[in-house]
Amino acid sequence: MKKIIVLITSMLMTTLSFHAQSFETATQAVKNMKVGWNLGNTLDSNSGDVNNMWIEAYNTSRKPSDYEKAWGQPITKPELIKMFKDAGFNTIRVPVTWYPHMEANITSLKWDKEKNDIGTKIQAAWMKRVHEIVDYVISQGMYCIINIHHDTGAANTAWLIASEEDYAKEKDRFEAVWTQIAEEFKDYDEHLLFEAYNEMLDPYDSWCFASFGTSARYNTKVATSAYNAINSYAQSFVNAVRATGGNNAQRNLIVNTYGSCSGGGTWNSHLKDPLKEMKCPTDAAGVGHIIFQVHTYPSLVKDDKVTNRTLKSIQDEIDDMIDAWKTYLVSKGAPVIVGEWGTSNVDAKVTDYDARRALMLKFAEYFVKQCKINDIATIYWMGLSDGAHRSVPEFNQPDLKDAIIKGYYGEGGYSGVSPLIYKPSSDTPIFDLQGRRIVKPQRGIYIQNGKKYIAK
């Protein structure tokens, strides 16, 4: 009997080992993600103020489309995702806010969170729409990231707060939400990644580093509690996802620093604390399936004039940030992605606009290039295609798109073409040209892993 048990255990371990090998490592995934874009202000939209729950009050039907369009974006279509794929992008981050789509019955402008709790169960209609957009991305052979987005942040609707007290209060709910998401997508392959939370802040809504929002601008007790909480949330996320099994047993998972802070700048000695205090979660999948994420929106001008910043000073700032990510994050055994990036003050048409625009394009190209050299994937925030431009679809900032693509692919840009193949494999999803999942393909052209094939 003992020999049989040992044999069965050995066979199970062999099976698990083989299955684990079928998923690329986090390092391989980050390299393959290349450059990406955020489908922002879409599934992440929300009212954001318990005293002005305007989406719920004026759209009492609470249809997913009411939220998807609430912040000025059109309904997402597969053609938009294909446009990014054809341009050379290989990752779409899909920010998702969940709290309006759970159990709270919010029907008026004011919401009492204590009396009308969001519960733990995600509405089926919302999950279905998230699933549809994920399929739009996966059908193009691109990497897709889904997360918990504006359930964090500075708004008073946020329920995920970086403090030990709040973690203890929300741990079970947080794990329950991730269990549902993980179960929904447990059969998806390595192209789907989960991100634990977005920009989680302490009770003082401190940006840059924990406790910066306190009156003293730094408080050891508040900061320690915040960093401990971030690491606890990250560990709970990994545990919850892994427990669902299936492909989630090896799926690459993303955890963000406190506030998704990048550690950039030198104006305060605590700026790099979010990097230093971040831990790599213990992972049942073993080493190599965790990714760290940061966000960065550097200022390219000073005193409202571009002439007060040189390109060299901006490049030096980028180099310093990348060095810090390698020193304080990569050294802990996980690669880094920049899940959101852009510039904080070059978009408005103000003094020196042309000079600012030229500087921004040079910054973007250099930033992407240096990140690629250092095996860091970059995912631009939403402005490359915005508002009505998404319905065309078209890039409303084609010059910025070109700078990003040039930064990654070089002067020649991107010229990749998906070839036609005739016999698709049966172990990955198949889609039609509209991004709809196909169970049994009939005659016609279909897509699998971003490649077209003809079914006869």
Side-chain angles (χ1 to χ4, degrees):
M1 177 62 69
K2 185 176 180 181
K3 289 182 178 180
I4 293 175
I5 293 174
V6 170
L7 178 61
I8 292 173
T9 302
S10 176
M11 290 171 66
L12 285 172
M13 291 300 293
T14 300
T15 300
L16 287 171
S17 175
F18 174 80
H19 189 60
Q21 291 174 8
S22 68
F23 260 59
E24 63 191 358
T25 66
T27 298
Q28 291 168 332
V30 168
K31 183 173 290 189
N32 292 335
M33 288 163 70
K34 301 178 181 178
V35 288
W37 175 73
N38 279 267
L39 184 67
N41 289 13
T42 302
L43 297 187
D44 51 325
S45 66
N46 66 107
S47 292
D49 184 354
V50 295
N51 295 308
N52 185 22
M53 301 298 290
W54 59 277
I55 302 177
E56 290 76 12
Y58 298 115
N59 295 284
T60 55
S61 61
R62 302 188 73 182
K63 297 190 299 292
S65 58
D66 294 331
Y67 289 88
E68 192 169 348
K69 297 184 294 183
W71 283 3
Q73 301 301 330
I75 293 296
T76 304
K77 295 181 179 180
E79 291 83 357
L80 174 68
I81 307 304
K82 183 178 184 300
M83 179 186 76
F84 276 90
K85 175 67 175 181
D86 291 345
F89 291 79
N90 205 40
T91 302
I92 301 292
R93 181 173 178 253
V94 181
V96 184
T97 301
W98 299 91
Y99 80 84
H101 313 285
M102 294 172 67
E103 296 180 84
N105 185 27
I106 308 169
T107 58
S108 62
L109 283 174
K110 290 194 175 184
W111 172 33
D112 188 328
K113 293 170 66 178
E114 297 299 322
K115 294 181 179 180
N116 192 358
D117 190 76
I118 63 174
T120 60
K121 188 176 180 180
I122 299 168
Q123 295 169 0
W126 184 248
M127 184 69 85
K128 179 182 178 182
R129 183 55 180 153
V130 173
H131 202 136
E132 287 172 347
I133 290 182
V134 168
D135 281 350
Y136 294 166
V137 180
I138 299 298
S139 71
Q140 293 297 325
M142 302 173 79
Y143 286 83
C144 182
I145 298 171
I146 55 174
N147 72 351
I148 290 180
H149 203 76
H150 288 306
D151 302 81
T152 67
N156 57 25
T157 49
W159 57 278
L160 292 172
I161 311 297
S163 78
E164 291 170 311
E165 180 181 357
D166 284 285
Y167 168 72
K169 175 184 174 183
E170 299 294 352
K171 174 181 181 293
D172 291 345
R173 192 196 325 264
F174 178 66
E175 292 178 356
V177 170
W178 266 116
T179 297
Q180 290 169 81
I181 299 169
E183 287 286 356
E184 180 74 14
F185 294 101
K186 68 190 301 180
D187 296 328
Y188 276 60
D189 72 7
E190 61 197 10
H191 287 85
L192 180 63
L193 297 89
F194 299 151
E195 174 193 326
Y197 45 80
N198 184 46
E199 297 169 345
M200 198 188 304
L201 305 177
D202 65 22
Y204 297 87
D205 296 333
S206 303
W207 295 103
C208 303
F209 54 85
S211 81
F212 181 54
T214 62
S215 59
R217 293 305 190 193
Y218 183 77
N219 180 296
T220 301
K221 183 178 180 180
V222 172
T224 300
S225 177
Y227 295 129
N228 286 345
I230 285 291
N231 288 313
S232 294
Y233 281 113
Q235 188 64 62
S236 282
F237 160 67
V238 172
N239 293 347
V241 172
R242 295 295 184 231
T244 60
N247 283 341
N248 291 332
Q250 289 84 33
R251 189 173 310 285
N252 289 315
L253 304 178
I254 302 167
V255 295
N256 297 13
T257 59
Y258 170 86
S260 301
C261 298
S262 67
T266 58
W267 54 269
N268 190 291
S269 61
H270 294 289
L271 286 169
K272 289 182 174 53
D273 287 359
L275 308 182
K276 295 177 181 179
E277 299 298 330
M278 188 72 205
K279 296 179 181 178
C280 190
T282 301
D283 190 1
V287 177
H289 289 287
I290 301 293
I291 298 168
F292 290 124
Q293 181 178 150
V294 296
H295 299 168
T296 184
Y297 294 91
S299 173
L300 301 189
V301 300
K302 290 181 179 179
D303 302 325
D304 199 39
K305 291 185 178 180
V306 71
T307 52
N308 289 345
R309 281 302 301 265
T310 64
L311 179 60
K312 179 62 166 62
S313 70
I314 294 169
Q315 291 175 338
D316 288 343
E317 184 177 327
I318 292 170
D319 294 343
D320 288 343
M321 273 199 302
I322 292 175
D323 285 343
W325 300 339
K326 293 165 65 177
T327 299
Y328 299 113
L329 294 178
V330 177
S331 64
K332 294 170 182 172
V336 171
I337 64 171
V338 185
E340 293 181 19
W341 69 279
T343 56
S344 61
N345 54 7
V346 297
D347 295 327
K349 292 188 176 181
V350 294
T351 305
D352 293 335
Y353 175 77
D354 290 341
R356 290 183 185 208
R357 190 73 186 175
L359 184 64
M360 182 189 70
L361 298 177
K362 291 178 180 177
F363 151 73
E365 182 178 345
Y366 184 82
F367 179 71
V368 171
K369 180 178 180 180
Q370 293 306 115
C371 284
K372 179 186 178 182
I373 289 172
N374 288 280
D375 295 325
I376 298 168
T378 53
I379 306 170
Y380 192 80
W381 186 236
M382 51 164 281
L384 289 174
S385 187
D386 197 7
H389 296 279
R390 295 187 185 180
S391 294
V392 176
E394 65 183 0
F395 291 101
N396 60 294
Q397 297 189 78
D399 56 348
L400 178 56
K401 178 264 295 182
D402 291 343
I404 292 171
I405 293 302
K406 186 187 294 185
Y408 188 85
Y409 293 99
E411 289 295 326
Y414 174 74
S415 59
V417 178
S418 297
L420 285 171
I421 58 176
Y422 291 89
K423 188 177 181 182
S425 60
S426 59
D427 57 350
T428 53
I430 299 171
F431 302 83
D432 65 16
L433 296 179
Q434 285 71 50
R436 294 171 299 202
R437 197 162 183 170
I438 303 299
V439 176
K440 187 176 181 181
Q442 303 298 319
R443 296 177 64 182
I445 298 177
Y446 296 87
I447 297 175
Q448 187 176 49
N449 278 339
K451 294 184 178 181
K452 297 178 180 178
Y453 72 88
I454 297 176
K456 298 182 178 181

